Amino acid sequence: MAANNPLLNASWAYLHRNLSGKYRVVPLGGDQSPFDDLKKAKGVLSENFSPGIYLYSSGFRGVELLHTDVDASDFFIPNGAFRNATFELHSLITDNRMRIDASPYLLPATERPPSETEGNGTLEALGNILTNLPPQTSGYVRRPHLEEEVRSAFINDRHPIITLVGRGGIGKTSVALSVLHSLSELDRFDIVVWFSARDIDLTLAGVKAVKPHVLTEGDIAKEYLRLIGHSDAGKKENPLSVLAQHMTKSPLGATLFVLDNFETARNPIDLFHWIDTNIRLPNKVVITSRFRDFKADYPISVSGMEEGEAQQLIQQTVTSLGIENIVSTSQALEVAEEADGHPYVIKILLGEIANEGKYSKPVRLIARKDDVLEALFERTYASLTPLATRAFLTLCSWRSLVPQLALEAALLRQNDEGRDRRTLD
């Protein structure tokens, strides 16, 4: 059975990323050629795979619930003993045991609800365009300078791919929706198609898991064909081929494709290259993402709100929560400063003040919101290369401005792993 089981004859390996960005590949079975590029310079530009066992099947698939180390000296499988959000792993080889975090498996086994920003199910007329755009974000505070830059990039005839890049909850989706709804008054596009890969909603009540609507280029292609009413009855057309043709030259007129929460898609790097290969003006693609890897033709950095915008958001939220008598003007300034203009953090801080019924230092409030911190920053942190992770943790511990030369001297080693300074830059 071991010799003839197709699963055991597949390509298996343990992956561990070195500081250089390349991978150390420990063969575990089957044809190892799919892993060859990860050992070379291409591995530096590939997706960031966390250490663990991987199976290659139309892509690298992480094998959960089976654990080993870089030496492949022992193997562990689940052995129950669930308590305190951890469970036990047991080795049948050595009888050793270890405990790991169970939080990734604690979500209900039922289907998740759709996201608040999932597109409408049909294309409908909105001004001069046909679109499935979701409604604008409730309570959205206008950001004139940022919106003007985004609007100008959307309607020009120079940049086929535009990215809105920023931290989680910083307002990328809200800004994009505000600008896109205003584009309905113009004649630049005939169709605006919205695709959402969002897997969490950031609400005042906390972080809520939701169902991503699209995750792969195949999902996007099928949804696009469904929206435009493309009938393939009696045909054998590949949805991806049809979408690629429409991205190059759409028979429906100038089309704007919007991909929200791009970092959640499966194999986002491959998806980005596929889009870059096929998109042609006057059609355009807009991507919102936490990751700076997808800079495209025109990257727009979305940072915190300006002071006036943050104060307007605070006043609006304070009024809606009914805590005008708790938060003074000076305290509102302290909230905005501590949040660094981050709109979602501002809302969470004010929500905690409302729950406690008194004003507390913002830094103490946010430190207690582990789920919020993980939702906003854990995914971005997990995408860092090992060298970038080391640089980040070193700077966090240093607690002062550090010259780049000093950082390089402390972190880079005189071997192949330490010669790539692009990560630090």
Side-chain angles (χ1 to χ4, degrees), residues 318-319 321-328 331 353 357-359:
V318 163
T319 302
L321 294 174
I323 54 174
E324 299 96 323
N325 60 331
I326 298 177
V327 181
S328 66
Q331 291 167 340
I353 291 171
K358 63 180 182 179
Y359 182 81

Side-chain angles (χ1 to χ4, degrees), residues 113-170:
S115 167
E116 293 177 346
T117 58
E118 183 175 311
N120 295 326
T122 58
L123 292 177
E124 299 178 357
L126 177 66
N128 296 327
I129 62 174
L130 285 175
T131 183
N132 67 325
L133 282 175
Q136 297 188 58
T137 308
S138 175
Y140 174 69
V141 173
R142 297 291 305 274
R143 303 170 69 173
H145 294 124
L146 176 60
E147 288 179 21
E148 180 56 35
E149 181 184 5
V150 172
R151 180 185 176 91
S152 176
F154 283 8
I155 64 177
N156 69 40
D157 295 320
R158 298 186 300 277
H159 308 292
I161 303 179
I162 299 161
T163 53
L164 302 183
V165 182
R167 293 168 288 171
I170 203 68

